[in-house]
Amino acid sequence: MQLDVLYFAWVRERIGVAKEQVSTTAVSVADLVKELSAREERYAVAFQDMSVVRVAVDQILVPLDAPIGGAKEVAFFPPMTGG
Amino acid sequence: MTISVQQDDFDLGFEVTTLTKNNIDIGAVVTFVGLVRDKTGGTLISMELEHYPGMTEQALAEIEQAATKRWSLNASRVIHRYGNLKTGEQIMMVATASPHRKDAFEAAEYLMDYLKTDAPFWKKEHFKDGADWVDSKAIDDAAKDRWTS
């Protein structure tokens, strides 16, 4: 499956790109995190504490165990600090 | 119910005038404006606001719709800026218009509480000697949770 993966704020800085296309067999967000973390150190560093990372699938906030089947876009970012 | 995510500054007076124009049912308007604050006593240069285009607008629209369902609102307005903002600049505003003040006050607080935790914005503070991402606060989650308890 081909996915657009987006990163924001310090997650983006640690991974080094804002957006990339990822080829994956991951079924859930958690699988995708595992897969990416195994690929390269910079992902493992960004995802080492998932309690401070939020996830959106197709621009909707979801929990870490959410499925990604059929999704076009997955985004990783820190807790929001707007306002 | 109008939402803008923009780089440009805004004029609160103009926004309130526009919000209430031709609507004589409105008896109360509550506004909130967030500003770039220097907590360090002089070392903050600017604040960088990043957001998730597309999701931001969608999240703000959902928050506004939820407020409209819960309170009697004639109109509301949310503006949130992004980009590089200097100390003292306006970051965002919320305005709610209602027949009575209670609805306007509560809806404005609700919009702010949800916006802080559910709208995908991130702040990075640039100081004279470095930069840091602003951490989210547990107190903001608690403020949001009071609306569901």
Side-chain angles (χ1 to χ4, degrees):
Chain A
M1 176 172 63
Q2 287 284 112
L3 268 181
D4 282 333
V5 184
L6 285 74
Y7 311 102
F8 293 94
W10 60 254
V11 179
R12 169 178 53 74
E13 289 179 344
R14 279 177 208 180
I15 289 172
V17 292
K19 185 178 181 176
E20 62 184 336
Q21 267 222 327
V22 171
S23 228
T24 178
T25 54
V27 174
S28 69
V29 174
D31 292 339
L32 180 64
V33 168
K34 251 188 243 165
E35 219 179 88
L36 291 170
S37 298
R39 263 185 214 183
E40 274 182 66
E41 181 68 19
R42 57 195 171 109
Y43 296 100
V45 169
F47 295 146
Q48 64 183 349
D49 180 4
M50 287 305 288
S51 73
V52 291
V53 177
R54 299 286 176 270
V55 191
V57 171
D58 288 337
Q59 306 193 352
I60 308 270
L61 270 182
V62 297
L64 193 58
D65 58 0
I68 55 173
K72 283 192 206 142
E73 189 172 296
V74 176
F76 295 97
F77 42 79
M80 289 88 139
T81 54
Chain B
M1 316 296 142
T2 325
I3 284 156
S4 302
V5 182
Q6 62 189 47
Q7 278 188 289
D8 293 340
D9 199 7
F10 54 84
D11 179 339
L12 183 67
F14 171 81
E15 296 301 334
V16 171
T17 305
T18 309
L19 196 70
T20 54
K21 207 176 209 168
N22 305 325
N23 193 339
I24 55 167
D25 295 331
I26 296 172
V29 175
V30 166
T31 64
F32 173 88
V33 177
L35 306 173
V36 178
R37 178 170 73 101
D38 184 358
K39 296 178 278 236
T40 65
T43 68
L44 185 75
I45 296 164
S46 64
M47 191 176 261
E48 182 187 334
L49 266 292
E50 181 175 338
H51 79 113
Y52 183 173
M55 180 173 169
T56 310
E57 291 80 357
Q58 200 177 308
L60 290 175
E62 273 170 33
I63 296 165
E64 211 175 31
Q65 276 160 22
T68 304
K69 267 192 197 161
R70 190 157 172 167
W71 288 281
S72 164
L73 296 181
N74 304 96
S76 61
R77 180 85 172 107
V78 177
I79 300 177
H80 205 301
R81 297 176 69 195
Y82 63 92
N84 228 9
L85 308 180
K86 290 189 185 64
T87 312
E89 278 198 68
Q90 304 187 119
I91 304 171
M92 52 84 57
M93 66 156 281
V94 153
T96 51
S98 169
H100 306 288
R101 72 177 186 278
K102 192 165 184 286
D103 285 69
F105 270 122
E106 286 186 4
E109 278 206 90
Y110 176 95
L111 287 174
M112 280 312 303
D113 288 347
Y114 272 81
L115 185 152
K116 280 209 161 262
T117 57
D118 289 20
F121 287 99
W122 302 276
K123 290 181 183 133
K124 189 178 192 177
E125 292 177 317
H126 291 267
F127 303 100
K128 282 175 183 161
D129 56 353
D132 258 325
W133 290 97
V134 173
D135 280 328
S136 66
K137 297 185 197 79
I139 193 172
D140 290 335
D141 285 316
K144 183 185 87 168
D145 290 346
R146 73 190 156 127
W147 300 107
T148 51
S149 59

